[in-house]
mmCIF file of all heavy atoms in Angstrom:
data_model
loop_
_atom_site.group_PDB
_atom_site.id
_atom_site.type_symbol
_atom_site.label_atom_id
_atom_site.label_comp_id
_atom_site.label_asym_id
_atom_site.label_seq_id
_atom_site.Cartn_x
_atom_site.Cartn_y
_atom_site.Cartn_z
ATOM 1 N N LEU M 529 -3.357 -23.926 7.074
ATOM 2 C CA LEU M 529 -3.238 -24.379 5.685
ATOM 3 C C LEU M 529 -1.829 -24.817 5.326
ATOM 4 O O LEU M 529 -1.569 -25.171 4.173
ATOM 5 C CB LEU M 529 -3.672 -23.248 4.742
ATOM 6 C CG LEU M 529 -5.174 -22.973 4.661
ATOM 7 C CD1 LEU M 529 -5.428 -21.589 4.079
ATOM 8 C CD2 LEU M 529 -5.876 -24.033 3.820
ATOM 9 N N LEU M 530 -0.918 -24.814 6.304
ATOM 10 C CA LEU M 530 0.470 -25.162 6.014
ATOM 11 C C LEU M 530 0.645 -26.586 5.463
ATOM 12 O O LEU M 530 1.550 -26.819 4.646
ATOM 13 C CB LEU M 530 1.336 -24.970 7.266
ATOM 14 C CG LEU M 530 1.457 -23.519 7.763
ATOM 15 C CD1 LEU M 530 2.311 -23.450 9.028
ATOM 16 C CD2 LEU M 530 2.041 -22.616 6.682
ATOM 17 N N PRO M 531 -0.199 -27.568 5.871
ATOM 18 C CA PRO M 531 -0.040 -28.909 5.285
ATOM 19 C C PRO M 531 -0.550 -29.031 3.852
ATOM 20 O O PRO M 531 -0.381 -30.080 3.221
ATOM 21 C CB PRO M 531 -0.885 -29.802 6.216
ATOM 22 C CG PRO M 531 -1.148 -29.000 7.437
ATOM 23 C CD PRO M 531 -1.174 -27.580 6.974
ATOM 24 N N VAL M 532 -1.186 -27.982 3.330
ATOM 25 C CA VAL M 532 -1.800 -28.030 2.000
ATOM 26 C C VAL M 532 -0.857 -27.386 0.977
ATOM 27 O O VAL M 532 -0.304 -26.311 1.217
ATOM 28 C CB VAL M 532 -3.158 -27.288 1.995
ATOM 29 C CG1 VAL M 532 -3.820 -27.394 0.625
ATOM 30 C CG2 VAL M 532 -4.074 -27.833 3.087
ATOM 31 N N HIS M 533 -0.694 -28.035 -0.168
ATOM 32 C CA HIS M 533 0.146 -27.499 -1.240
ATOM 33 C C HIS M 533 -0.676 -26.580 -2.147
ATOM 34 O O HIS M 533 -1.867 -26.838 -2.371
ATOM 35 C CB HIS M 533 0.759 -28.626 -2.071
ATOM 36 C CG HIS M 533 1.524 -29.631 -1.265
ATOM 37 N ND1 HIS M 533 2.587 -29.274 -0.457
ATOM 38 C CD2 HIS M 533 1.377 -30.981 -1.130
ATOM 39 C CE1 HIS M 533 3.066 -30.358 0.135
ATOM 40 N NE2 HIS M 533 2.350 -31.405 -0.250
ATOM 41 N N PRO M 534 -0.092 -25.515 -2.677
ATOM 42 C CA PRO M 534 -0.819 -24.619 -3.583
ATOM 43 C C PRO M 534 -1.409 -25.372 -4.769
ATOM 44 O O PRO M 534 -0.724 -26.162 -5.422
ATOM 45 C CB PRO M 534 0.256 -23.624 -4.041
ATOM 46 C CG PRO M 534 1.253 -23.610 -2.927
ATOM 47 C CD PRO M 534 1.285 -25.024 -2.412
ATOM 48 N N GLY M 535 -2.694 -25.167 -5.023
ATOM 49 C CA GLY M 535 -3.367 -25.806 -6.138
ATOM 50 C C GLY M 535 -3.820 -27.224 -5.885
ATOM 51 O O GLY M 535 -4.407 -27.858 -6.765
ATOM 52 N N GLU M 536 -3.574 -27.728 -4.684
ATOM 53 C CA GLU M 536 -3.912 -29.122 -4.386
ATOM 54 C C GLU M 536 -5.408 -29.330 -4.236
ATOM 55 O O GLU M 536 -5.931 -30.396 -4.574
ATOM 56 C CB GLU M 536 -3.181 -29.559 -3.114
ATOM 57 C CG GLU M 536 -3.196 -31.046 -2.857
ATOM 58 C CD GLU M 536 -2.290 -31.446 -1.708
ATOM 59 O OE1 GLU M 536 -1.918 -30.574 -0.888
ATOM 60 O OE2 GLU M 536 -1.949 -32.636 -1.629
ATOM 61 N N VAL M 537 -6.102 -28.337 -3.701
ATOM 62 C CA VAL M 537 -7.558 -28.425 -3.539
ATOM 63 C C VAL M 537 -8.186 -27.126 -4.032
ATOM 64 O O VAL M 537 -7.526 -26.085 -4.126
ATOM 65 C CB VAL M 537 -7.971 -28.681 -2.070
ATOM 66 C CG1 VAL M 537 -7.475 -30.041 -1.599
ATOM 67 C CG2 VAL M 537 -7.469 -27.571 -1.152
ATOM 68 N N GLU M 538 -9.481 -27.193 -4.300
ATOM 69 C CA GLU M 538 -10.207 -26.013 -4.771
ATOM 70 C C GLU M 538 -10.855 -25.233 -3.623
ATOM 71 O O GLU M 538 -11.086 -24.032 -3.757
ATOM 72 C CB GLU M 538 -11.302 -26.442 -5.752
ATOM 73 C CG GLU M 538 -10.794 -27.196 -6.969
ATOM 74 C CD GLU M 538 -11.889 -28.031 -7.601
ATOM 75 O OE1 GLU M 538 -12.261 -29.068 -7.037
ATOM 76 O OE2 GLU M 538 -12.385 -27.599 -8.675
ATOM 77 N N THR M 539 -11.149 -25.939 -2.530
ATOM 78 C CA THR M 539 -11.932 -25.347 -1.448
ATOM 79 C C THR M 539 -11.212 -25.484 -0.120
ATOM 80 O O THR M 539 -10.645 -26.541 0.178
ATOM 81 C CB THR M 539 -13.303 -26.059 -1.317
ATOM 82 O OG1 THR M 539 -13.961 -26.045 -2.577
ATOM 83 C CG2 THR M 539 -14.174 -25.387 -0.267
ATOM 84 N N ALA M 540 -11.255 -24.423 0.669
ATOM 85 C CA ALA M 540 -10.803 -24.500 2.057
ATOM 86 C C ALA M 540 -12.002 -24.269 2.965
ATOM 87 O O ALA M 540 -12.743 -23.295 2.799
ATOM 88 C CB ALA M 540 -9.729 -23.451 2.341
ATOM 89 N N ILE M 541 -12.197 -25.182 3.912
ATOM 90 C CA ILE M 541 -13.238 -25.043 4.931
ATOM 91 C C ILE M 541 -12.532 -24.754 6.250
ATOM 92 O O ILE M 541 -11.680 -25.529 6.687
ATOM 93 C CB ILE M 541 -14.072 -26.331 5.061
ATOM 94 C CG1 ILE M 541 -14.736 -26.698 3.728
ATOM 95 C CG2 ILE M 541 -15.121 -26.177 6.162
ATOM 96 C CD1 ILE M 541 -15.379 -28.084 3.738
ATOM 97 N N ILE M 542 -12.869 -23.630 6.858
ATOM 98 C CA ILE M 542 -12.301 -23.290 8.160
ATOM 99 C C ILE M 542 -13.457 -22.878 9.058
ATOM 100 O O ILE M 542 -14.078 -21.836 8.843
ATOM 101 C CB ILE M 542 -11.260 -22.156 8.075
ATOM 102 C CG1 ILE M 542 -10.267 -22.399 6.929
ATOM 103 C CG2 ILE M 542 -10.509 -22.035 9.395
ATOM 104 C CD1 ILE M 542 -9.250 -21.287 6.754
ATOM 105 N N ALA M 543 -13.758 -23.704 10.039
ATOM 106 C CA ALA M 543 -14.908 -23.447 10.911
ATOM 107 C C ALA M 543 -14.563 -23.855 12.340
ATOM 108 O O ALA M 543 -13.646 -24.642 12.577
ATOM 109 C CB ALA M 543 -16.131 -24.226 10.421
ATOM 110 N N GLY M 544 -15.317 -23.285 13.274
ATOM 111 C CA GLY M 544 -15.181 -23.707 14.667
ATOM 112 C C GLY M 544 -13.991 -23.141 15.389
ATOM 113 O O GLY M 544 -13.465 -23.764 16.311
ATOM 114 N N MET M 545 -13.543 -21.946 14.972
ATOM 115 C CA MET M 545 -12.411 -21.309 15.666
ATOM 116 C C MET M 545 -12.621 -19.797 15.657
ATOM 117 O O MET M 545 -13.510 -19.278 14.988
ATOM 118 C CB MET M 545 -11.086 -21.685 15.000
ATOM 119 C CG MET M 545 -10.917 -21.188 13.597
ATOM 120 S SD MET M 545 -9.358 -21.699 12.815
ATOM 121 C CE MET M 545 -9.604 -23.472 12.639
ATOM 122 N N GLY M 546 -11.800 -19.091 16.393
ATOM 123 C CA GLY M 546 -11.914 -17.644 16.477
ATOM 124 C C GLY M 546 -11.537 -16.951 15.183
ATOM 125 O O GLY M 546 -10.756 -17.470 14.379
ATOM 126 N N GLY M 547 -12.094 -15.775 14.987
ATOM 127 C CA GLY M 547 -11.856 -15.041 13.762
ATOM 128 C C GLY M 547 -10.421 -14.579 13.582
ATOM 129 O O GLY M 547 -9.894 -14.588 12.468
ATOM 130 N N MET M 548 -9.769 -14.175 14.665
ATOM 131 C CA MET M 548 -8.395 -13.701 14.548
ATOM 132 C C MET M 548 -7.449 -14.842 14.175
ATOM 133 O O MET M 548 -6.511 -14.654 13.398
ATOM 134 C CB MET M 548 -7.941 -13.037 15.855
ATOM 135 C CG MET M 548 -8.758 -11.814 16.242
ATOM 136 S SD MET M 548 -8.971 -10.622 14.884
ATOM 137 C CE MET M 548 -7.272 -10.088 14.627
ATOM 138 N N LEU M 549 -7.700 -16.027 14.721
ATOM 139 C CA LEU M 549 -6.916 -17.203 14.336
ATOM 140 C C LEU M 549 -7.147 -17.522 12.866
ATOM 141 O O LEU M 549 -6.209 -17.858 12.128
ATOM 142 C CB LEU M 549 -7.293 -18.396 15.209
ATOM 143 C CG LEU M 549 -6.665 -19.744 14.854
ATOM 144 C CD1 LEU M 549 -5.143 -19.661 14.849
ATOM 145 C CD2 LEU M 549 -7.139 -20.837 15.818
ATOM 146 N N MET M 550 -8.386 -17.400 12.425
ATOM 147 C CA MET M 550 -8.717 -17.647 11.025
ATOM 148 C C MET M 550 -7.960 -16.688 10.109
ATOM 149 O O MET M 550 -7.406 -17.098 9.073
ATOM 150 C CB MET M 550 -10.229 -17.482 10.841
ATOM 151 C CG MET M 550 -10.799 -18.090 9.597
ATOM 152 S SD MET M 550 -12.615 -18.082 9.628
ATOM 153 C CE MET M 550 -12.945 -19.354 10.849
ATOM 154 N N CYS M 551 -7.911 -15.422 10.484
ATOM 155 C CA CYS M 551 -7.171 -14.431 9.695
ATOM 156 C C CYS M 551 -5.692 -14.786 9.641
ATOM 157 O O CYS M 551 -5.047 -14.647 8.591
ATOM 158 C CB CYS M 551 -7.362 -13.040 10.290
ATOM 159 S SG CYS M 551 -9.028 -12.365 10.116
ATOM 160 N N ARG M 552 -5.153 -15.240 10.764
ATOM 161 C CA ARG M 552 -3.740 -15.616 10.807
ATOM 162 C C ARG M 552 -3.458 -16.798 9.888
ATOM 163 O O ARG M 552 -2.451 -16.825 9.175
ATOM 164 C CB ARG M 552 -3.320 -15.952 12.243
ATOM 165 C CG ARG M 552 -1.809 -16.039 12.434
ATOM 166 C CD ARG M 552 -1.468 -16.626 13.778
ATOM 167 N NE ARG M 552 -1.550 -18.083 13.753
ATOM 168 C CZ ARG M 552 -1.561 -18.852 14.836
ATOM 169 N NH1 ARG M 552 -1.525 -18.310 16.033
ATOM 170 N NH2 ARG M 552 -1.628 -20.168 14.733
ATOM 171 N N ILE M 553 -4.350 -17.765 9.888
ATOM 172 C CA ILE M 553 -4.195 -18.941 9.024
ATOM 173 C C ILE M 553 -4.161 -18.526 7.552
ATOM 174 O O ILE M 553 -3.312 -18.993 6.770
ATOM 175 C CB ILE M 553 -5.337 -19.945 9.279
ATOM 176 C CG1 ILE M 553 -5.114 -20.655 10.622
ATOM 177 C CG2 ILE M 553 -5.450 -20.964 8.142
ATOM 178 C CD1 ILE M 553 -6.281 -21.507 11.072
ATOM 179 N N LEU M 554 -5.060 -17.641 7.157
ATOM 180 C CA LEU M 554 -5.101 -17.169 5.773
ATOM 181 C C LEU M 554 -3.854 -16.353 5.437
ATOM 182 O O LEU M 554 -3.318 -16.454 4.333
ATOM 183 C CB LEU M 554 -6.364 -16.340 5.539
ATOM 184 C CG LEU M 554 -7.695 -17.085 5.701
ATOM 185 C CD1 LEU M 554 -8.867 -16.120 5.540
ATOM 186 C CD2 LEU M 554 -7.819 -18.240 4.722
ATOM 187 N N HIS M 555 -3.401 -15.566 6.408
ATOM 188 C CA HIS M 555 -2.216 -14.724 6.200
ATOM 189 C C HIS M 555 -0.943 -15.567 6.042
ATOM 190 O O HIS M 555 -0.045 -15.198 5.271
ATOM 191 C CB HIS M 555 -2.068 -13.760 7.371
ATOM 192 C CG HIS M 555 -0.849 -12.892 7.295
ATOM 193 N ND1 HIS M 555 -0.745 -11.827 6.416
ATOM 194 C CD2 HIS M 555 0.342 -12.938 7.977
ATOM 195 C CE1 HIS M 555 0.437 -11.267 6.563
ATOM 196 N NE2 HIS M 555 1.122 -11.900 7.493
ATOM 197 N N GLU M 556 -0.884 -16.692 6.753
ATOM 198 C CA GLU M 556 0.322 -17.521 6.748
ATOM 199 C C GLU M 556 0.514 -18.315 5.457
ATOM 200 O O GLU M 556 1.618 -18.777 5.179
ATOM 201 C CB GLU M 556 0.286 -18.500 7.936
ATOM 202 C CG GLU M 556 0.541 -17.856 9.284
ATOM 203 C CD GLU M 556 0.416 -18.851 10.423
ATOM 204 O OE1 GLU M 556 -0.160 -19.950 10.221
ATOM 205 O OE2 GLU M 556 0.883 -18.530 11.523
ATOM 206 N N SER M 557 -0.550 -18.488 4.676
ATOM 207 C CA SER M 557 -0.463 -19.346 3.484
ATOM 208 C C SER M 557 -1.013 -18.647 2.246
ATOM 209 O O SER M 557 -1.958 -19.129 1.607
ATOM 210 C CB SER M 557 -1.215 -20.660 3.732
ATOM 211 O OG SER M 557 -0.677 -21.360 4.827
ATOM 212 N N PRO M 558 -0.438 -17.504 1.863
ATOM 213 C CA PRO M 558 -0.985 -16.756 0.715
ATOM 214 C C PRO M 558 -0.933 -17.536 -0.594
ATOM 215 O O PRO M 558 -1.829 -17.396 -1.436
ATOM 216 C CB PRO M 558 -0.107 -15.501 0.659
ATOM 217 C CG PRO M 558 1.169 -15.890 1.357
ATOM 218 C CD PRO M 558 0.751 -16.844 2.436
ATOM 219 N N ASP M 559 0.105 -18.358 -0.785
ATOM 220 C CA ASP M 559 0.215 -19.118 -2.037
ATOM 221 C C ASP M 559 -0.916 -20.130 -2.179
ATOM 222 O O ASP M 559 -1.403 -20.373 -3.295
ATOM 223 C CB ASP M 559 1.564 -19.836 -2.098
ATOM 224 C CG ASP M 559 2.736 -18.873 -2.212
ATOM 225 O OD1 ASP M 559 2.493 -17.701 -2.558
ATOM 226 O OD2 ASP M 559 3.873 -19.292 -1.937
ATOM 227 N N VAL M 560 -1.308 -20.720 -1.055
ATOM 228 C CA VAL M 560 -2.422 -21.675 -1.077
ATOM 229 C C VAL M 560 -3.737 -20.943 -1.288
ATOM 230 O O VAL M 560 -4.566 -21.331 -2.120
ATOM 231 C CB VAL M 560 -2.475 -22.487 0.239
ATOM 232 C CG1 VAL M 560 -3.708 -23.391 0.269
ATOM 233 C CG2 VAL M 560 -1.213 -23.318 0.399
ATOM 234 N N VAL M 561 -3.941 -19.853 -0.538
ATOM 235 C CA VAL M 561 -5.200 -19.101 -0.593
ATOM 236 C C VAL M 561 -5.467 -18.573 -2.010
ATOM 237 O O VAL M 561 -6.599 -18.671 -2.514
ATOM 238 C CB VAL M 561 -5.185 -17.940 0.424
ATOM 239 C CG1 VAL M 561 -6.389 -17.024 0.227
ATOM 240 C CG2 VAL M 561 -5.165 -18.489 1.842
ATOM 241 N N GLN M 562 -4.441 -18.040 -2.661
ATOM 242 C CA GLN M 562 -4.640 -17.431 -3.974
ATOM 243 C C GLN M 562 -4.954 -18.447 -5.066
ATOM 244 O O GLN M 562 -5.440 -18.069 -6.145
ATOM 245 C CB GLN M 562 -3.404 -16.606 -4.365
ATOM 246 C CG GLN M 562 -3.187 -15.382 -3.499
ATOM 247 C CD GLN M 562 -4.414 -14.484 -3.405
ATOM 248 O OE1 GLN M 562 -5.050 -14.188 -4.423
ATOM 249 N NE2 GLN M 562 -4.774 -14.063 -2.200
ATOM 250 N N ARG M 563 -4.736 -19.726 -4.798
ATOM 251 C CA ARG M 563 -5.066 -20.777 -5.782
ATOM 252 C C ARG M 563 -6.432 -21.410 -5.507
ATOM 253 O O ARG M 563 -6.863 -22.294 -6.258
ATOM 254 C CB ARG M 563 -3.975 -21.864 -5.757
ATOM 255 C CG ARG M 563 -2.597 -21.398 -6.195
ATOM 256 C CD ARG M 563 -2.484 -21.242 -7.703
ATOM 257 N NE ARG M 563 -2.687 -22.509 -8.393
ATOM 258 C CZ ARG M 563 -1.727 -23.432 -8.590
ATOM 259 N NH1 ARG M 563 -0.499 -23.198 -8.133
ATOM 260 N NH2 ARG M 563 -1.996 -24.540 -9.234
ATOM 261 N N LEU M 564 -7.107 -20.964 -4.451
ATOM 262 C CA LEU M 564 -8.415 -21.529 -4.106
ATOM 263 C C LEU M 564 -9.519 -20.958 -5.001
ATOM 264 O O LEU M 564 -9.458 -19.801 -5.411
ATOM 265 C CB LEU M 564 -8.763 -21.235 -2.647
ATOM 266 C CG LEU M 564 -7.888 -21.894 -1.583
ATOM 267 C CD1 LEU M 564 -8.229 -21.338 -0.199
ATOM 268 C CD2 LEU M 564 -8.063 -23.416 -1.590
ATOM 269 N N CYS M 565 -10.527 -21.778 -5.254
ATOM 270 C CA CYS M 565 -11.717 -21.322 -5.981
ATOM 271 C C CYS M 565 -12.789 -20.808 -5.028
ATOM 272 O O CYS M 565 -13.659 -20.022 -5.425
ATOM 273 C CB CYS M 565 -12.296 -22.459 -6.819
ATOM 274 S SG CYS M 565 -11.184 -23.069 -8.093
ATOM 275 N N GLU M 566 -12.735 -21.270 -3.788
ATOM 276 C CA GLU M 566 -13.726 -20.838 -2.795
ATOM 277 C C GLU M 566 -13.212 -21.130 -1.394
ATOM 278 O O GLU M 566 -12.339 -21.995 -1.196
ATOM 279 C CB GLU M 566 -15.077 -21.541 -3.007
ATOM 280 C CG GLU M 566 -15.004 -23.052 -2.819
ATOM 281 C CD GLU M 566 -16.343 -23.764 -2.945
ATOM 282 O OE1 GLU M 566 -17.376 -23.099 -3.121
ATOM 283 O OE2 GLU M 566 -16.352 -25.023 -2.853
ATOM 284 N N MET M 567 -13.769 -20.383 -0.425
ATOM 285 C CA MET M 567 -13.534 -20.655 0.990
ATOM 286 C C MET M 567 -14.879 -20.637 1.705
ATOM 287 O O MET M 567 -15.743 -19.809 1.399
ATOM 288 C CB MET M 567 -12.617 -19.595 1.612
ATOM 289 C CG MET M 567 -11.231 -19.515 1.005
ATOM 290 S SD MET M 567 -10.142 -18.366 1.925
ATOM 291 C CE MET M 567 -10.957 -16.789 1.634
ATOM 292 N N VAL M 568 -15.035 -21.559 2.643
ATOM 293 C CA VAL M 568 -16.220 -21.567 3.506
ATOM 294 C C VAL M 568 -15.726 -21.348 4.925
ATOM 295 O O VAL M 568 -15.009 -22.191 5.471
ATOM 296 C CB VAL M 568 -17.015 -22.889 3.394
ATOM 297 C CG1 VAL M 568 -18.239 -22.851 4.311
ATOM 298 C CG2 VAL M 568 -17.432 -23.141 1.942
ATOM 299 N N LEU M 569 -16.076 -20.208 5.493
ATOM 300 C CA LEU M 569 -15.540 -19.789 6.781
ATOM 301 C C LEU M 569 -16.665 -19.583 7.789
ATOM 302 O O LEU M 569 -17.685 -18.977 7.463
ATOM 303 C CB LEU M 569 -14.752 -18.482 6.625
ATOM 304 C CG LEU M 569 -13.717 -18.416 5.502
ATOM 305 C CD1 LEU M 569 -13.100 -17.024 5.439
ATOM 306 C CD2 LEU M 569 -12.639 -19.478 5.691
ATOM 307 N N SER M 570 -16.450 -20.067 8.997
ATOM 308 C CA SER M 570 -17.437 -19.862 10.060
ATOM 309 C C SER M 570 -16.720 -19.520 11.364
ATOM 310 O O SER M 570 -16.474 -20.394 12.203
ATOM 311 C CB SER M 570 -18.315 -21.105 10.234
ATOM 312 O OG SER M 570 -19.324 -20.869 11.202
ATOM 313 N N PRO M 571 -16.373 -18.240 11.527
ATOM 314 C CA PRO M 571 -15.675 -17.826 12.753
ATOM 315 C C PRO M 571 -16.632 -17.729 13.934
ATOM 316 O O PRO M 571 -17.790 -17.335 13.778
ATOM 317 C CB PRO M 571 -15.127 -16.446 12.386
ATOM 318 C CG PRO M 571 -16.060 -15.932 11.332
ATOM 319 C CD PRO M 571 -16.540 -17.136 10.574
ATOM 320 N N HIS M 572 -16.145 -18.075 15.124
ATOM 321 C CA HIS M 572 -16.962 -18.007 16.331
ATOM 322 C C HIS M 572 -17.077 -16.590 16.871
ATOM 323 O O HIS M 572 -18.034 -16.266 17.568
ATOM 324 C CB HIS M 572 -16.406 -18.936 17.403
ATOM 325 C CG HIS M 572 -16.827 -20.355 17.225
ATOM 326 N ND1 HIS M 572 -16.414 -21.377 18.051
ATOM 327 C CD2 HIS M 572 -17.628 -20.942 16.301
ATOM 328 C CE1 HIS M 572 -16.957 -22.513 17.655
ATOM 329 N NE2 HIS M 572 -17.679 -22.277 16.583
ATOM 330 N N GLN M 573 -16.067 -15.754 16.593
ATOM 331 C CA GLN M 573 -16.126 -14.354 16.994
ATOM 332 C C GLN M 573 -15.220 -13.539 16.074
ATOM 333 O O GLN M 573 -14.590 -14.097 15.189
ATOM 334 C CB GLN M 573 -15.727 -14.147 18.465
ATOM 335 C CG GLN M 573 -14.312 -14.517 18.818
ATOM 336 C CD GLN M 573 -14.166 -15.930 19.316
ATOM 337 O OE1 GLN M 573 -15.142 -16.544 19.729
ATOM 338 N NE2 GLN M 573 -12.959 -16.456 19.278
ATOM 339 N N ASP M 574 -15.196 -12.232 16.279
ATOM 340 C CA ASP M 574 -14.382 -11.329 15.450
ATOM 341 C C ASP M 574 -14.720 -11.454 13.968
ATOM 342 O O ASP M 574 -13.838 -11.411 13.096
ATOM 343 C CB ASP M 574 -12.875 -11.595 15.662
ATOM 344 C CG ASP M 574 -12.454 -11.342 17.099
ATOM 345 O OD1 ASP M 574 -12.878 -10.316 17.665
ATOM 346 O OD2 ASP M 574 -11.706 -12.169 17.650
ATOM 347 N N ILE M 575 -16.011 -11.585 13.676
ATOM 348 C CA ILE M 575 -16.425 -11.777 12.281
ATOM 349 C C ILE M 575 -16.159 -10.538 11.437
ATOM 350 O O ILE M 575 -15.876 -10.640 10.238
ATOM 351 C CB ILE M 575 -17.904 -12.205 12.205
ATOM 352 C CG1 ILE M 575 -18.253 -12.649 10.780
ATOM 353 C CG2 ILE M 575 -18.834 -11.102 12.692
ATOM 354 C CD1 ILE M 575 -19.568 -13.354 10.665
ATOM 355 N N GLN M 576 -16.199 -9.356 12.040
ATOM 356 C CA GLN M 576 -15.907 -8.142 11.281
ATOM 357 C C GLN M 576 -14.469 -8.159 10.775
ATOM 358 O O GLN M 576 -14.197 -7.786 9.631
ATOM 359 C CB GLN M 576 -16.131 -6.909 12.154
ATOM 360 C CG GLN M 576 -17.586 -6.698 12.556
ATOM 361 C CD GLN M 576 -17.778 -5.395 13.308
ATOM 362 O OE1 GLN M 576 -17.190 -4.381 12.968
ATOM 363 N NE2 GLN M 576 -18.613 -5.421 14.331
#
């Protein structure tokens, strides 16, 4: 999410990658994540 500016979009779609990478992506961009209205996530593993 580093190329995305906070508040620039309402939705983040993250699919087709491992769950731990997905968690890292969300962790790296808290300012962007907290301005989202929704996320659609589809991890390939580590869903817990």
Side-chain angles (χ1 to χ4, degrees):
L529 286 162
L530 295 179
V532 182
H533 305 303
E536 193 171 18
V537 295
E538 301 158 286
T539 306
I541 301 170
I542 313 178
M545 65 182 68
M548 298 311 295
L549 174 57
M550 198 170 288
C551 291
R552 193 191 81 194
I553 286 171
L554 297 176
H555 177 74
E556 287 177 344
S557 300
D559 293 343
V560 175
V561 171
Q562 293 307 314
R563 296 284 298 276
L564 294 172
C565 298
E566 63 177 357
M567 298 187 295
V568 180
L569 311 176
S570 184
H572 278 178
Q573 63 267 341
D574 298 316
I575 190 168
Q576 294 185 40

